[in-house]
Amino acid sequence: MNKNIDQDRILNYLNQNKVKEDICDHSDFIEWNEETDEIKTVVEKIGKITLPSNSSKNKNCWRKDSKIELDKYPYLECEIHQCQKCKSIFFHHIELTGNAPQRRYRLLRKELIDLDSIKPKVRIIIDSEPFKYQVYKNPDLSYEISICKPVALGIDIYHKLTKQEEVEYLKNGIKALQNRIEDMDGNYNKYKVVSWR
Ligand SMILES: [Zn+2]
């Protein structure tokens, strides 16, 4: 079991993590909520966000649909916990101001993660579908996509997203890159190709 999930690994981990539906009801934690006896007993720490503090604060981080900006309060020092029953993943934040520490959890929903807030130290995988595509974010903050193709012993085809593609991708997800994927597949000689050999 992986216990060292951080801001660079979290997206790939979410891609691979299969939540078992209908086992738990964690709907109270769609927004940040206080720790309950129940949640305390089912979660286990699997990692931590470790980012230098970004002085600008989230404007509205407490709502159900508030974006998850990893480099801002309250996420930048959050622990990452996982329910041992259903595999749901939570952020865990301990507020130390005030008299007693306040322990809060929020269910982690991938679609709310603000990709702009991720500044990776190495190239990270932010989205993938096995045998179809992988999307990466590079340390220089550019985005890249690769697909594989059973040519020779197998090749990977890479393309760095154009600014336009990046904007579309951040807005609409992988479907924004459908034409590009088809072009990469059909005209792979135009692209950077890495052989599996
Ligand atoms: Zn659960």
Side-chain angles (χ1 to χ4, degrees):
M1 173 124 243
N2 211 332
K3 304 267 191 208
N4 54 357
I5 305 299
D6 62 7
Q7 61 280 355
D8 288 351
R9 296 201 171 101
I10 186 70
L11 283 158
N12 197 28
Y13 190 70
L14 285 169
N15 283 327
Q16 294 165 4
N17 186 51
K18 296 262 180 294
V19 175
K20 298 177 194 158
E21 307 289 341
D22 304 325
I23 290 187
C24 304
D25 179 8
H26 294 305
S27 53
D28 282 354
F29 295 97
I30 287 177
E31 58 198 343
W32 283 105
N33 223 325
E34 298 272 322
E35 183 175 75
T36 58
D37 287 340
E38 194 196 6
I39 189 117
K40 201 161 62 178
T41 55
V42 292
V43 295
E44 188 171 289
K45 182 180 171 185
I46 58 165
K48 190 176 189 326
I49 302 292
T50 51
L51 281 169
S53 164
N54 175 332
S55 55
S56 65
K57 282 195 172 183
N58 270 324
K59 283 198 194 74
N60 248 312
C61 47
W62 308 114
R63 293 191 311 221
K64 277 188 172 64
D65 292 317
S66 296
K67 279 269 179 195
I68 295 166
E69 296 173 272
L70 290 174
D71 61 344
K72 290 182 188 165
Y73 171 89
Y75 297 101
L76 51 99
E77 287 180 343
C78 267
E79 292 182 358
I80 301 166
H81 286 226
Q82 185 166 39
C83 175
Q84 298 306 296
K85 287 185 180 166
C86 70
K87 304 296 172 197
S88 288
I89 299 174
F90 299 84
F91 285 119
H92 178 43
H93 169 66
I94 303 169
E95 184 83 61
L96 290 172
T97 55
N99 296 329
Q102 299 218 33
R103 310 173 70 88
R104 303 190 182 106
Y105 290 85
R106 187 187 186 193
L107 195 61
L108 205 173
R109 285 182 292 155
K110 188 180 165 221
E111 69 274 18
L112 293 183
I113 293 180
D114 177 14
L115 291 173
D116 266 346
S117 72
I118 297 181
K119 296 167 179 73
K121 291 185 276 291
V122 293
R123 180 165 81 171
I124 60 167
I125 298 169
I126 55 171
D127 192 10
S128 67
E129 179 137 354
F131 309 111
K132 288 195 174 157
Y133 64 84
Q134 290 193 304
V135 182
Y136 313 89
K137 188 164 186 177
N138 293 311
D140 68 2
L141 307 186
S142 63
Y143 292 82
E144 201 166 354
I145 182 169
S146 77
I147 62 168
C148 58
K149 201 173 163 72
V151 173
L153 287 173
I155 55 171
D156 287 318
I157 304 149
Y158 289 85
H159 167 69
K160 219 175 234 196
L161 303 198
T162 64
K163 268 287 156 209
Q164 173 82 23
E165 284 175 327
E166 188 180 311
V167 171
E168 296 284 320
Y169 173 71
L170 292 178
K171 209 164 89 192
N172 299 315
I174 191 68
K175 65 175 189 276
L177 300 176
Q178 213 44 57
N179 289 343
R180 174 62 69 184
I181 289 173
E182 279 165 30
D183 190 59
M184 291 168 76
D185 186 62
N187 306 307
Y188 62 89
N189 283 324
K190 280 173 25 190
Y191 293 89
K192 178 178 141 195
V193 170
V194 177
S195 165
W196 290 2
R197 269 193 294 191

